[in-house]
Amino acid sequence: MASTMHDTSSAASITQVVRPARSFRGSLMLPGDKSISHRYAMLAGFAEGTSRLSNFSTGADPHSSLGCMAAMGAKVETAGKVISVTGTGGVLAQPKGDLDCGNSGSTMRMLAGLVAAQGEVYRFVGDESLTVRPMERIRGPLEKMGARIELTDGHAPMIIRGGELKAIDFETPIASAQVKTAVLFAGLQAKGTTSIAEKIRTRDHSEHALRAFGATLTRENDRLSIVGGQSLHAIDATVPGDMSSAAFFLCAALLFEDSNVVLDALGMNPTRASLLDVITGMGGKIKVLNVEEQHGEMVGTIQVNRSGKLKGMDISGALAAQLIDELPVIAAIAPYTENGVKIRDAKELRVKESDRIALVVKNLRAMGAEVTEHEDGMDIPGGQTLRGGVIDSGLDHRITMAFSIAALRAEGETEIRGAEAASVSFPEFFTWLDELAIR
Ligand code: S3P
């Protein structure tokens, strides 16, 4: 695989050339889950004592969270593969400058909840993509609790003037684990018991992480409650491998009849594992080995290969919300399926690191595929042959990686423009792709 420097209109960026493959085989242990790494970074930075975090995500996003915690007084040290975070004991200092969240919506939204109860002023900024992502969704509940939040046209830069908070009963209007987490982190410090009801159950890493750091939370049906005024203590933890990074290699395994991929120490939290049902539904055969629990998170080894034909499927409703990060790669391999893929109820894709519906459609067409765009999804007929094309990553990590996987079965080479975006969640992606792709 070759990479060259390439000039785009806004900034110099890397073009990665991906050649087709004959098969996809190998075993690896993925870097730590991005979602869990964010939560461990924030809670370790807030807790009392020194947490030791192994297999922390190598992605830029969770490092933005660590950077923000350091800017508010946490001590972050790296020794080999272990990151030690000495927390602030529940008091977050006024940062000297802006809290720079980079490309990370998780950092900005979840940290908003943590600082909302603190007695200082915090100004959050991000890169070009993060600066247009919606922040009203956290302003609503946090202002009801008593924080004062200033947005710029509904986006960052965002200024939070924290203070004493009161508990609320909150019903999430959109399926968002980031919003739920912001309210939980604020509720941890509020007066009274904060409760949150979710119509669609989103990833529950915050609940597990809060418990691991010593907080008590209760759940009754779809209602989660947290009593304010609890303090947290440090933990030693190993972050499980990232299921959303695994999705790229699981989809690659689906593309070839004699594929075989083994992923060790993979996070298999049930709120993230619907991907495995989808992989099975599309014709993958999955063996799960050695499952154990670590700080509430399920971790195991999986072996995946393809059994029979590559089948398509319809994805909508709660499944679309639970697979939101995996939809770009499922869509990118959809033309190769027998009967196509239909995606609906996934409007949130339009407000991720890019408008992922528009970019998936544009890039599928660049590879010669037929696709129909809908406001909340797309229809991608099966039985299509793709040709190598020029892919616009939109500097979105998941678009970059999704089309690198589609390229493995295309006719001819594919150029991925803005391929450096992969490092937001998975800097090792192209190295591993090269290792597992058989040419
Ligand atoms: C995340 C939740 C999801 C997801 C994002 C990470 C999290 O976002 O898309 O990549 O770690 O809680 P929303 O909560 O906005 O759906």
Side-chain angles (χ1 to χ4, degrees):
M1 232 166 279
S3 76
T4 55
M5 290 307 287
H6 170 83
D7 275 329
T8 63
S9 51
S10 55
S13 71
I14 291 175
T15 293
Q16 187 84 39
V17 176
V18 182
R19 288 180 289 121
R22 283 185 290 115
S23 187
F24 201 77
R25 302 173 72 83
S27 74
L28 72 146
M29 195 177 126
L30 291 166
D33 185 84
K34 175 164 90 69
S35 292
I36 298 174
S37 296
H38 277 300
R39 287 145 172 97
Y40 285 1
M42 292 177 199
L43 296 182
F46 191 68
E48 183 126 14
T50 301
S51 294
R52 272 167 285 271
L53 308 174
S54 305
N55 200 39
F56 191 85
S57 167
T58 48
D61 270 11
H63 284 267
S64 293
S65 289
L66 280 175
C68 289
M69 293 313 295
M72 294 188 288
K75 200 166 126 205
V76 179
E77 287 170 318
T78 305
K81 292 193 163 175
V82 179
I83 296 185
S84 298
V85 182
T86 303
T88 59
V91 181
L92 298 174
Q94 166 97 52
K96 288 203 175 70
D98 293 340
L99 291 169
D100 187 356
C101 305
N103 190 244
S104 175
S106 299
T107 303
M108 195 174 282
R109 295 193 182 119
M110 301 198 288
L111 262 190
L114 207 58
V115 306
Q118 301 281 315
E120 308 286 352
V121 181
Y122 308 86
R123 185 170 188 272
F124 291 78
V125 296
D127 70 7
E128 210 178 304
S129 145
L130 183 52
T131 301
V132 295
R133 295 183 64 189
M135 293 297 147
E136 286 290 2
R137 53 184 65 191
I138 49 145
R139 176 159 79 160
L142 294 178
E143 284 204 331
K144 265 201 200 115
M145 297 178 87
R148 279 175 302 148
I149 303 185
E150 231 175 83
L151 298 176
T152 316
D153 285 335
H155 314 127
M158 169 173 82
I159 298 168
I160 302 191
R161 291 185 173 80
E164 204 167 285
L165 300 185
K166 57 178 189 297
I168 54 167
D169 289 334
F170 179 60
E171 192 148 327
T172 53
I174 37 168
S176 168
Q178 294 175 0
V179 175
K180 170 175 70 177
T181 302
V183 177
L184 277 174
F185 285 0
L188 175 73
Q189 308 165 72
K191 215 173 188 172
T193 302
T194 295
S195 81
I196 304 165
E198 288 191 290
K199 283 193 202 83
I200 293 177
R201 188 144 181 204
T202 60
R203 62 190 72 191
D204 62 2
H205 303 301
S206 299
E207 294 88 311
H208 291 306
L210 279 162
R211 288 192 183 104
F213 280 88
T216 303
L217 270 89
T218 53
R219 175 179 277 280
E220 214 174 297
N221 302 318
D222 68 349
R223 190 164 285 278
L224 197 59
S225 300
I226 186 162
V227 179
Q230 304 189 57
S231 50
L232 304 182
H233 56 73
I235 60 167
D236 285 352
T238 300
V239 182
D242 194 316
M243 178 65 88
S244 299
S245 297
F248 300 105
F249 295 153
L250 299 180
C251 285
L254 285 180
L255 294 181
F256 303 96
E257 269 166 20
D258 59 346
S259 62
N260 185 43
V261 174
V262 177
L263 302 173
D264 269 332
L266 182 66
M268 303 208 352
N269 179 315
T271 60
R272 296 283 294 286
S274 21
L275 173 69
L276 299 183
D277 298 331
V278 169
I279 296 291
T280 308
M282 292 178 83
K285 197 166 105 200
I286 300 183
K287 259 195 220 153
V288 178
L289 314 154
N290 313 326
V291 180
E292 58 174 82
E293 196 189 314
Q294 295 172 5
H295 292 305
E297 296 286 350
M298 304 303 288
V299 185
T301 297
I302 64 168
Q303 182 191 18
V304 186
N305 45 48
R306 175 152 135 210
S307 115
K309 295 229 184 300
L310 176 57
K311 289 173 279 201
M313 59 165 31
D314 291 357
I315 298 171
S316 61
L319 187 59
Q322 278 148 8
L323 283 175
I324 201 78
D325 291 343
E326 289 74 56
L327 291 176
V329 66
I330 295 170
I333 63 162
Y336 302 122
T337 61
E338 223 183 4
N339 49 333
V341 169
K342 284 194 176 121
I343 297 171
R344 291 289 186 285
D345 304 321
K347 208 171 161 194
E348 273 291 302
L349 283 177
R350 294 203 182 269
V351 290
K352 292 292 178 186
E353 287 81 332
S354 68
D355 177 342
R356 287 183 175 160
I357 293 179
L359 264 186
V360 165
V361 167
K362 172 180 168 182
N363 288 319
L364 279 172
R365 288 183 181 145
M367 295 181 82
E370 188 191 313
V371 48
T372 308
E373 179 171 354
H374 296 275
E375 189 46 31
D376 65 342
M378 58 198 104
D379 294 346
I380 307 154
Q384 306 193 60
T385 305
L386 301 191
R387 56 167 194 269
V390 177
I391 298 302
D392 170 12
S393 78
L395 291 180
D396 180 328
H397 56 129
R398 300 212 191 275
I399 299 292
T400 302
M401 295 186 275
F403 282 88
S404 301
I405 299 303
L408 297 177
R409 270 275 304 266
E411 284 171 1
E413 292 182 344
T414 298
E415 279 184 30
I416 315 274
R417 303 243 161 117
E420 70 272 26
S423 66
V424 157
S425 61
F426 193 3
E428 308 80 353
F429 173 76
F430 285 108
T431 307
W432 282 111
L433 184 70
D434 224 6
E435 196 135 320
L436 271 66
I438 315 269
R439 299 222 156 76

